[in-house]
Amino acid sequence: MSDETKSPSPQPEGEKPSSDKIAGGISSGTPPPGGAKPPAPSEKPAVAPGATPPKPAAPGEKPAAAAAPAKPAAPAKPAGPTPQPWDSPLVAKLTKQFGSGIQPLTYLGQNYLQVDRSLIPTILQMLRDEEQFDYCVDITAVHYPKREKQFDIVWILYSFSKNERVRVKTQIADAEHIPSAVPIWAAANWLERETFDMFGIQFDGHPDLKRILLPDGWKGHPLRKDYGIIQQDQEWVQINLGIESGQ
Amino acid sequence: MTDPNSSVSHLELEESKKTFLDANELVINMGPQHPATHGVLRVILRLDGEKVMGLECVIGYLHRGVEKIAEHRTYTMFNPYVDRMDYVAAVSNGLGYCEAVEKLLNIEAPPRANYIRVILTELNRLASHQLWLGTHALDIGAMTPLFYTFRDREEILKIFEKYCGARLTTHAFRIGGCQYETYEGFEKDVKKFLTFVAPKIDEYEELLTTNRIWVERTKKVGTISAKDCIALGVTGPVLRASGVKWDLRKAQPYAAYKQFDFEIPTGQNGDTYDRYLVRMAEMRQSLRIIQQAVDAIPEGPIMAKVSKVMKPPVGEIYHSIEAPKGELGYFIVSDGSTQPYRIRVRPPSFVNLQALDLMCRGQLVADVIAVIGTLDIVLGEVDR
């Protein structure tokens, strides 16, 4: 969360005219291919011709050719690819059964399902039993403190028979519980424990939900966004290590 | 009340009704400071005589909060940190991370960079397997292989050192390609190494494969079925030794792996001996890949066009590679700024270690050592 390195200079559209100072210093060899993407007026037009990213590791002798293929990609990037609807027989089947409870999307070639919290146990069970997603790769969470439903829970699944991956995502509020996936995939055991340890998510029906990486008596869940990077459980450190602070 | 050692496990709780005198079962503690736990793994064993009735792993002694650190670093700044997870296969970690960010940025490394990446990653796989073999054999009581493998691993580290200056935590790759062009004589060095190491692998096998002590200590020890492997999410050589022919290099090829001809070695029994054979065969396959890559390494740039300030568009990506230990995945969420919003590392060692309990049940105490060795875990990666 600390903004120490964020946006040193105003860059409205993102990245192309990268850090002017650095680039300006060493870019003398590269002719400005500025025509393709004129920098926005706010971006120090005086420096702009020299601000072309010189690509330090480029072979050097054909800068024009090297720059050319990259240009078509450049305008696309600031806008960013957006998640597209995902269509497949699996999706058709799921939408038929669950209707608007799931939202199938695809982003950069990777498919995921945005699922209602209430449908989670049914969908996970079904993906394993009927769709052969027999390998639970990972379970994790993402914290968005500003959102009403603060947590994204993510299941990454893989099917050996189809050689296909799918991510299942749902949103839950702080302190809301979620059913454990341990009865479905034994692998979920430690993964859920880690999610609990780092985010404080409660998984109902987990056989032994306790901390896994941090010590049992620790207070706080470090991967929440409101947990500072140098924050510690001072009381725990004092009692167990006998020092004022681990810092 | 907050002493971590006093936190009773569910295994211990089950036994609390019994007094010491009528106890048929004994709970003992192994580690975290134990030479055979390969770092700082603590295992609580429940024993009946010498037989293991169950065990519980206590981990986290090496937890450094890598995922938290990532949220406070730029994409480029976080790159060296990943080397410190699986520090005996740092190159693989770097490859997975760089490729994941490249995917998020929607760029691709140039072909030459991909070839260099494959060569170094496979060399590192070999080094990782050699280190595994040496320490695993040492745990079981064969001391000689340790000296053999370390002698030969040294040659790989020398190539790394000549390439990027570092031997262990190499930080060899950058987002978008490689930082360094190969040094003068790189290909020659690699080819020389290949001819040097091929007979050495035969030498390791001569020491162990038909060695009676080795066979008795490893056959039918720590057996795990393919079904259990999949249920527990176990990947890598452990899964392949149970008969599942699955390798991400083939299943979902990345870097330049599509262009190389190699096989996926598998076992049938899923025991420690089969896992040994699978890893030995993998070393030979790695040599094959390196040979093909060195012969066909293309000319050209080694770095794609990447802006200095990386701001991937808002979105998320999961990318995984076949690390020496199994599937190593990175799940990255970008909020459009220069720093990742969240990076989740899916470490193979962490997930594989979950199977230790199942694999050790019914075995002898001495076999626990063999099973920890055969899982090939690195605690730096388990704890992150």
Side-chain angles (χ1 to χ4, degrees):
Chain A
M1 291 258 89
S2 84
D3 285 0
E4 70 221 84
T5 51
K6 274 190 187 173
S7 57
S9 60
Q11 290 177 334
E13 280 298 48
E15 61 265 271
K16 262 304 109 178
S18 68
S19 62
D20 300 8
K21 272 171 283 161
I22 313 163
I26 48 172
S27 69
S28 51
T30 320
K37 186 177 178 283
S42 66
E43 284 176 319
K44 306 177 190 167
V47 211
T52 325
K55 192 167 76 154
E61 64 257 17
K62 39 175 190 174
K71 257 175 236 155
K77 261 191 275 169
T82 46
Q84 302 295 318
W86 167 37
D87 209 11
S88 76
L90 164 67
V91 167
K93 185 179 160 193
L94 288 172
T95 356
K96 200 174 151 208
Q97 194 170 343
F98 300 104
S100 59
I102 61 162
Q103 215 185 339
L105 294 165
T106 180
Y107 180 69
L108 292 175
Q110 301 193 340
N111 303 324
Y112 62 94
L113 298 163
Q114 184 83 46
V115 179
D116 261 11
R117 149 82 179 79
S118 55
L119 293 173
I120 279 295
T122 333
I123 296 241
L124 292 181
Q125 189 77 46
M126 198 177 140
L127 283 174
R128 194 204 62 175
D129 293 347
E130 295 170 28
E131 301 299 331
Q132 293 97 41
F133 284 96
D134 42 7
Y135 165 28
C136 177
V137 182
D138 204 356
I139 298 174
T140 191
V142 187
H143 188 203
Y144 298 93
K146 289 190 188 117
R147 234 166 48 183
E148 192 196 342
K149 292 190 165 184
Q150 287 192 8
F151 293 97
D152 262 6
I153 314 287
V154 185
W155 292 262
I156 301 170
L157 310 176
Y158 177 81
S159 163
F160 282 98
S161 49
K162 296 180 181 172
N163 187 20
E164 204 177 285
R165 274 183 210 288
V166 69
R167 285 201 300 269
V168 180
K169 279 171 60 174
T170 193
Q171 299 186 354
I172 62 167
D174 195 8
E176 194 179 344
H177 292 209
I178 188 107
S180 167
V182 178
I184 309 176
W185 299 279
N189 192 328
W190 282 22
L191 298 170
E192 284 178 359
R193 274 178 68 187
E194 194 184 339
T195 311
F196 163 71
D197 194 358
M198 295 296 154
F199 292 93
I201 311 277
Q202 294 284 343
F203 290 90
D204 286 339
H206 188 285
D208 186 25
L209 194 65
K210 61 179 183 187
R211 288 188 184 272
I212 187 162
L213 293 178
L214 293 173
D216 279 353
W218 196 269
K219 287 194 193 75
H221 301 282
L223 281 181
R224 286 179 177 227
K225 289 285 178 187
D226 47 16
Y227 195 96
I229 188 155
I230 57 164
Q231 188 180 337
Q232 287 192 334
D233 183 352
Q234 296 297 348
E235 194 193 355
W236 189 93
V237 171
Q238 180 137 40
I239 293 171
N240 291 281
L241 305 179
I243 50 175
E244 270 312 309
S245 163
Q247 292 302 318
Chain B
M1 113 229 176
T2 46
D3 176 13
N5 298 332
S6 75
S7 60
V8 273
S9 69
H10 66 297
L11 295 172
E12 287 168 308
L13 278 175
E14 282 168 24
E15 303 312 310
S16 59
K17 284 175 242 100
K18 291 181 181 167
T19 68
F20 179 73
L21 288 173
D22 68 359
N24 290 320
E25 290 183 344
L26 179 67
V27 175
I28 65 157
N29 179 60
M30 176 179 149
Q33 265 74 37
H34 188 289
T37 56
H38 293 221
V40 281
L41 168 68
R42 176 171 167 229
V43 183
I44 301 165
L45 294 161
R46 197 168 49 131
L47 303 176
D48 178 7
E50 262 207 87
K51 209 165 116 193
V52 178
M53 309 299 286
L55 61 81
E56 193 190 355
C57 298
V58 182
I59 58 173
Y61 293 94
L62 223 53
H63 180 60
R64 291 150 293 173
V66 166
E67 292 172 17
K68 185 79 180 174
I69 292 171
E71 294 170 12
H72 296 258
R73 298 283 179 274
T74 63
Y75 288 91
T76 326
M77 282 161 80
F78 183 60
N79 199 349
Y81 283 87
V82 299
D83 287 0
R84 272 84 185 160
M85 292 188 304
D86 181 356
Y87 40 77
V88 301
V91 181
S92 294
N93 291 345
L95 176 67
Y97 175 70
C98 290
E99 289 207 329
V101 180
E102 282 160 16
K103 246 184 174 177
L104 198 58
L105 285 165
N106 221 344
I107 55 171
E108 257 182 54
R112 182 173 171 83
N114 272 335
Y115 271 69
I116 297 174
R117 284 175 169 191
V118 167
I119 294 170
L120 293 177
T121 312
E122 289 307 316
L123 282 173
N124 205 175
R125 185 185 312 275
L126 198 62
S128 168
H129 281 5
Q130 281 174 335
L131 188 127
W132 157 79
L133 181 66
T135 51
H136 181 39
L138 185 68
D139 287 347
I140 294 184
M143 204 173 210
T144 320
L146 180 80
F147 300 119
Y148 279 44
T149 55
F150 270 66
R151 175 195 65 196
D152 305 338
R153 179 170 167 264
E154 185 65 22
E155 300 304 317
I156 299 176
L157 300 187
K158 273 184 195 160
I159 294 178
F160 288 165
E161 192 178 3
K162 273 172 108 174
Y163 175 72
C164 63
R167 290 157 54 86
L168 206 62
T169 46
T170 48
H171 192 204
F173 308 139
R174 299 294 186 273
I175 295 157
C178 304
Q179 167 90 48
Y180 310 108
E181 186 46 89
T182 54
Y183 61 86
E184 189 73 36
F186 173 77
E187 277 102 337
K188 211 178 109 219
D189 273 7
V190 172
K191 281 181 184 162
K192 212 172 109 196
F193 170 75
L194 292 179
T195 46
F196 161 81
V197 84
K200 304 289 181 199
I201 297 175
D202 299 337
E203 236 173 59
Y204 312 152
E205 285 227 52
E206 246 169 62
L207 282 171
L208 296 171
T209 307
T210 52
N211 179 326
R212 176 137 182 231
I213 304 170
W214 179 259
V215 171
E216 300 240 322
R217 287 296 311 271
T218 55
K219 269 207 170 155
K220 296 202 173 70
V221 168
T223 312
I224 185 165
S225 70
K227 198 173 141 249
D228 290 340
C229 274
I230 291 172
L232 283 164
V234 174
T235 46
V238 184
L239 176 68
R240 291 192 280 274
S242 299
V244 181
K245 202 169 181 158
W246 187 75
D247 188 316
L248 274 169
R249 288 173 291 174
K250 285 267 192 207
Q252 300 186 336
Y254 52 91
Y257 280 107
K258 227 177 193 161
Q259 283 132 36
F260 305 123
D261 184 28
F262 63 99
E263 272 142 39
I264 309 174
T266 53
Q268 293 112 40
N269 306 320
D271 59 5
T272 303
Y273 187 71
D274 272 22
R275 284 188 283 275
Y276 155 75
L277 290 181
V278 163
R279 288 201 179 96
M280 297 310 285
E282 269 182 24
M283 288 193 204
R284 296 209 170 83
Q285 294 301 326
S286 287
L287 295 185
R288 265 180 84 184
I289 297 172
I290 299 167
Q291 183 73 56
Q292 294 171 50
V294 172
D295 286 342
I297 188 164
E299 291 298 317
I302 54 164
M303 195 74 184
K305 192 126 181 124
V306 186
S307 62
K308 285 229 171 59
V309 178
M310 274 170 221
K311 286 190 173 180
V314 180
E316 51 188 52
I317 200 88
Y318 177 79
H319 180 68
S320 61
I321 63 156
E322 186 75 28
K325 275 120 195 139
E327 176 174 353
L328 170 71
Y330 291 89
F331 176 65
I332 305 181
V333 181
S334 163
D335 60 352
S337 75
T338 54
Q339 297 172 329
Y341 190 74
R342 164 128 173 77
I343 291 188
R344 157 74 184 167
V345 185
R346 191 265 182 206
S349 295
F350 177 81
V351 184
N352 288 3
L353 186 59
Q354 251 193 114
L356 186 67
D357 182 19
L358 182 78
M359 289 162 84
C360 288
R361 288 200 182 198
Q363 309 277 337
L364 303 180
V365 182
D367 295 336
V368 175
I369 305 298
V371 177
I372 293 173
T374 190
L375 274 176
D376 193 14
I377 48 162
V378 165
L379 269 299
E381 185 178 57
V382 173
D383 297 341
R384 279 155 291 137

